[in-house]
Amino acid sequence: MNVPRELPGFRTMFTSFHHFAPDDARAILQDAVDARQSIGIFEITRRAPSAVGFMLLWSIFLFLCTPWIRPFRWSRLFCTYVIPIIPVVLLFDGVVSCLRTYRPGELREITKKLSTSDYTWQSGEYYGTRKRMPITYLIGLPTEAAQAKVSASPVGLVAPVVAAA
């Protein structure tokens, strides 16, 4: 929410924006706007039954792979199989993360409340080539940087930036 001005560059947040309440999320974006820096928010979690189901599968998968995690620790086996603390915490954290993830429309609403008129914002879901787990994104660029990016690319603003991420 207060990145030092001597650290210029494209700001990125990967699978972490859902940890911030709407006012704090807006403050993060406003700080980028005030510093005239581009920002990209990317979330692999999403508020959807399929994502919650994936978290359930992930915690079950933990039961299968725990013996092969290195370095080996008896405490890890105990906390996975005897008292399943690790799988329960992993499942809880994953489900809560999915339920807190902003949808593209909610990200657009947050950007509408920012103090700026010369920024270009795009949000959506990028499905990639496998079309299985979309990545929710929000990309904000100062208008002059957005115009340069669009004019330099026949695909437009988002495709080159998201593909690089």
Side-chain angles (χ1 to χ4, degrees), residues 58-164:
W58 181 245
S59 63
I60 291 170
F61 182 70
L62 182 66
F63 284 104
L64 299 173
C65 10
T66 294
W68 291 276
I69 297 173
R70 299 292 176 244
F72 179 84
R73 291 202 171 85
W74 287 106
S75 61
R76 187 179 302 117
L77 292 179
F78 182 79
C79 291
T80 299
Y81 300 110
V82 180
I83 303 174
I85 296 169
I86 296 172
V88 168
V89 169
L90 181 68
L91 178 62
F92 177 80
D93 180 61
V95 169
V96 169
S97 291
C98 288
L99 297 177
R100 289 183 53 111
T101 299
Y102 295 101
R103 292 186 169 129
E106 294 167 334
L107 292 170
R108 283 189 290 275
E109 286 302 313
I110 290 172
T111 61
K112 286 180 184 176
K113 297 177 182 174
L114 297 174
S115 302
T116 183
S117 60
D118 59 345
Y119 250 69
T120 300
W121 295 97
Q122 277 197 346
S123 65
E125 291 180 335
Y126 179 75
Y127 283 85
T129 56
R130 293 186 180 179
K131 301 194 185 309
R132 291 184 189 156
M133 295 279 301
I135 297 171
T136 301
Y137 65 86
L138 172 68
I139 298 172
L141 300 171
T143 302
E144 65 276 4
Q147 290 170 347
K149 190 67 155 171
V150 171
S151 64
S153 169
V155 183
L157 172 64
V158 170
V161 176
V162 174

Side-chain angles (χ1 to χ4, degrees), residues 6-82:
E6 60 269 10
L7 294 174
F10 189 85
R11 299 177 182 189
T12 55
M13 295 183 75
F14 295 99
T15 313
S16 58
F17 202 63
H18 64 268
H19 289 281
F20 298 96
D23 289 340
D24 293 335
R26 190 171 13 273
I28 290 168
L29 299 175
Q30 187 65 57
D31 186 64
V33 167
D34 294 344
R36 304 284 307 148
Q37 298 299 311
S38 301
I39 186 166
I41 308 294
F42 306 95
E43 294 275 359
I44 189 101
T45 56
R46 56 193 288 248
R47 208 175 327 149
S50 60
V52 173
F54 181 76
M55 293 302 159
L56 178 62
L57 288 174
W58 181 245
S59 63
I60 291 170
F61 182 70
L62 182 66
F63 284 104
L64 299 173
C65 10
T66 294
W68 291 276
I69 297 173
R70 299 292 176 244
F72 179 84
R73 291 202 171 85
W74 287 106
S75 61
R76 187 179 302 117
L77 292 179
F78 182 79
C79 291
T80 299
Y81 300 110
V82 180

